[in-house]
Amino acid sequence: MTAILAADVAGYSRLMGADEEGTYASLKGHRHDLIDKRIRKHRGHIIKTTGDGLLAEFASAVDAVRCAVEIQREMIERNAGVPAETRIEFRIGINIGDIIEDDGDIFGDGVNIAARLESIAARGGICISRQVLDQIEGKLKLQFRELGRQNLKNIARPIEVFAINLDGPTSKATRVLTNANLKQDIRYCKAADGVRLAFAKVGNGPPLMRTAHWLGHLEYDWELPIFRHFLLNLASSFSLVRFDARGNGLSDWDVGNISLESWVSDLKSVADAAGLDRFPILGLSQGCAVAIAFAVRYPERVSHLVLYGGFAAGIYKSPNVTAAAREQFDAMKTLMKLGWGANEPTFRQLFTASMMPEATKEQADAFNEAQRISASAECAVRYLEAVAEFDVRHLLPQVKAPTLVMHVRGDRRVPIASSREFAAAIPDARFVTLPGKNHILLEQDAAVPILLEEIRSFLGCAPP
């Protein structure tokens, strides 16, 4: 048994493409002045190096983690005056396991898991396995963030993963919430089939349940400049209850069933665990179909429906989708399997352009980070396939709750005609068009204050 540390540079291909000579010189300097010295200091041994990374072994998990923390904290200082687009930022994964030594190299599941943990770590972050946590807990004064059981590529069993908080006793998410005079309470409940679901409450106003959606993470959503502004505004007016979908975020990633039926059942499980009896639901994108199905099945529990950017039928069920569009969708699935969360920008640019074409570079990079953090490539593809099979058109006339439907006029991802279908078929639904092109609304979008005001007015909540 040994502790294995795997590290590489986030966005190395992009950095080399922009400045090959400068990137190489910078990486070489960090290796010589910092990384190699820290590994030796903590009794580690470098097994091998790659162009942008390395694999090292340590006698103990405590030594490996101390080394990683020192490296990452010093890299924060080294990058303080460096422009974001040229920074060298490492991702580190640490695991404990049996290894096989052969001609100076090491092999085995312990090594493979360390490499996979590194691949899902945040830029400048450290991910460790449960085995490592058990070895270091109580021995090092560090804070840890649970990332749940995750399916790692080519690893047969799900691995419990934890991120080391390098910011001290409080995470970035906690600081964001504290600055807004808010506190988030994260808890867990069991779905009907035993899947562990993470849910959270934040805010002190009347309740508002937000359906789970793709690319969700209860903690990181507050840190990344994508959803944060919208969530802060909602939490300032409501007691916002949200949860990570099965296969996403802090909920279990190792799940057998991903379907509309399971998502509707999960919504009930979370509502019960959160103590909600009758409440309004906010559905975003694919969450709209889940909200509609829930409202029809449990009409006594839904006071209002707010639907943004949604659709009644997935791409495999909609009669209005062309053969070319379906072919393009299948191609996107293939690209997702290969490029989900990768640092190579080709896939990211393609996917981001469909979700938020007017995003800033910072927001586009954060979206790429959200992909890696929120779900594995396998879960993301399964999620997309399940959404493609949605069809709740027959349920629309049965909705009894007052309903507000909103959609961005120039949405590149989901055409506005999809929401018009909602509004036309749901009795007495109100339809509001919003300016813009982004499917995922960003804080600079003119649609955001309009959407928030419409929600507050519709639910009878005064502005903060």
Side-chain angles (χ1 to χ4, degrees):
M1 296 287 286
T2 188
I4 304 105
L5 180 153
D8 83 342
V9 177
Y12 185 68
S13 297
R14 175 184 58 80
L15 291 167
M16 289 293 282
D19 181 6
E20 182 173 350
E21 187 174 332
T23 298
Y24 178 76
S26 181
L27 177 57
K28 187 176 179 180
H30 292 314
R31 281 285 312 275
H32 180 269
D33 298 336
L34 171 63
I35 297 171
D36 293 9
K37 289 181 179 179
R38 291 295 180 272
I39 291 174
R40 288 195 297 270
K41 172 187 173 183
H42 293 284
R43 302 180 296 166
H45 170 62
I46 296 176
I47 300 298
K48 63 180 177 183
T49 62
T50 59
D52 65 328
L54 60 86
L55 187 69
E57 64 174 336
F58 293 79
S60 75
V62 171
D63 287 336
V65 171
R66 277 184 177 145
C67 177
V69 169
E70 286 187 15
I71 288 171
Q72 296 293 46
R73 283 181 172 162
E74 187 160 338
M75 284 304 300
I76 292 172
E77 296 179 9
R78 286 172 168 242
N79 280 323
V82 180
E85 62 272 14
T86 60
R87 287 176 186 166
I88 299 287
E89 294 176 297
F90 293 96
R91 294 194 300 245
I92 296 177
I94 303 174
N95 182 47
I96 290 178
D98 292 322
I99 62 169
I100 301 169
E101 296 189 34
D102 183 20
D103 195 24
D105 205 347
I106 56 175
F107 305 90
D109 260 4
V111 178
N112 295 337
I113 291 171
R116 297 310 178 195
L117 291 171
E118 168 263 300
S119 72
I120 66 170
R123 302 171 73 94
I126 305 167
C127 278
I128 63 175
S129 63
R130 160 63 75 177
Q131 289 87 342
V132 173
L133 180 66
D134 290 342
Q135 293 288 322
I136 68 173
E137 203 164 22
K139 299 176 183 177
L140 298 176
K141 293 183 179 180
L142 296 170
Q143 299 291 320
F144 308 96
R145 176 169 16 198
E146 183 180 5
L147 299 184
R149 290 179 292 179
Q150 303 202 18
N151 293 325
L152 303 177
K153 186 177 180 181
N154 297 330
I155 304 299
R157 66 191 186 282
I159 303 297
E160 282 193 81
V161 181
F162 298 82
I164 294 177
N165 180 17
L166 297 169
D167 301 310
T170 59
S171 67
K172 292 179 183 178
T174 302
R175 293 201 299 272
V176 167
L177 289 163
T178 300
N179 291 338
N181 198 28
L182 294 168
K183 183 179 180 181
Q184 178 170 249
D185 180 22
I186 297 178
R187 299 186 181 184
Y188 287 90
C189 67
K190 285 290 184 71
D193 60 357
V195 171
R196 189 177 62 161
L197 301 171
F199 70 96
K201 289 183 180 180
V202 61
N204 300 306
L208 175 63
M209 167 69 81
R210 194 201 71 179
T211 58
H213 59 77
W214 206 21
L215 298 177
H217 194 293
L218 293 177
E219 284 204 88
Y220 279 113
D221 283 354
W222 298 104
E223 298 182 14
L224 303 176
I226 307 173
F227 310 112
R228 180 174 59 210
H229 178 74
F230 183 58
L231 292 174
L232 286 172
N233 272 280
L234 288 177
S236 69
S237 299
F238 301 95
S239 178
L240 180 64
V241 179
R242 59 199 183 96
F243 63 101
D244 287 337
R246 53 177 59 214
N248 278 242
L250 296 180
S251 293
D252 279 352
W253 285 30
D254 181 32
V255 296
N257 183 19
I258 294 181
S259 64
L260 175 62
E261 178 65 29
S262 65
W263 286 325
V264 173
S265 177
D266 290 350
L267 179 54
K268 180 179 183 300
S269 297
V270 171
D272 291 343
L276 299 182
D277 181 27
R278 183 171 169 81
F279 50 91
I281 299 177
L282 170 62
L284 306 174
S285 193
Q286 66 272 16
C288 293
V290 177
I292 288 166
F294 184 91
V296 171
R297 185 172 302 178
Y298 305 103
E300 73 284 357
R301 301 196 66 171
V302 181
S303 64
H304 297 77
L305 274 184
V306 178
L307 308 174
Y308 165 76
F311 47 91
I315 196 165
Y316 289 158
K317 297 294 185 179
S318 176
N320 301 319
V321 176
T322 65
R326 288 192 179 92
E327 186 176 347
Q328 186 180 43
F329 176 81
D330 289 336
M332 178 68 75
K333 285 197 304 179
T334 301
L335 286 172
M336 285 178 63
K337 291 177 183 178
L338 301 173
W340 183 258
N343 286 303
E344 206 288 318
T346 304
F347 175 78
R348 181 172 74 248
Q349 290 168 355
L350 177 66
F351 197 53
T352 302
S354 69
M355 286 287 193
M356 41 187 190
E358 297 179 320
T360 65
K361 184 183 182 302
E362 181 189 15
Q363 289 165 336
D365 288 344
F367 187 67
N368 183 50
E369 196 72 2
Q371 292 173 35
R372 294 190 321 102
I373 291 167
S374 63
S376 66
E378 178 193 4
C379 281
V381 172
R382 289 180 65 198
Y383 203 107
L384 198 65
E385 289 173 339
V387 170
E389 298 288 349
F390 276 4
D391 193 350
V392 297
R393 287 173 294 176
H394 63 291
L395 299 179
L396 298 176
Q398 302 176 47
V399 174
K400 293 183 172 58
T403 303
L404 171 64
V405 181
M406 293 180 284
H407 208 109
V408 168
R409 193 174 295 111
D411 193 330
R412 298 275 184 88
R413 184 71 180 176
V414 179
I416 193 171
S418 300
S419 282
R420 287 200 182 101
E421 184 178 18
F422 281 160
I426 295 175
D428 300 320
R430 182 164 179 263
F431 182 57
V432 176
T433 59
L434 303 170
K437 298 177 181 178
N438 293 328
H439 180 63
I440 295 177
L441 291 179
L442 303 171
E443 60 181 333
Q444 69 267 26
D445 289 348
V448 172
I450 301 173
L451 179 138
L452 290 167
E453 177 56 34
E454 290 287 350
I455 292 175
R456 293 188 184 107
S457 176
F458 181 67
L459 298 181
C461 182

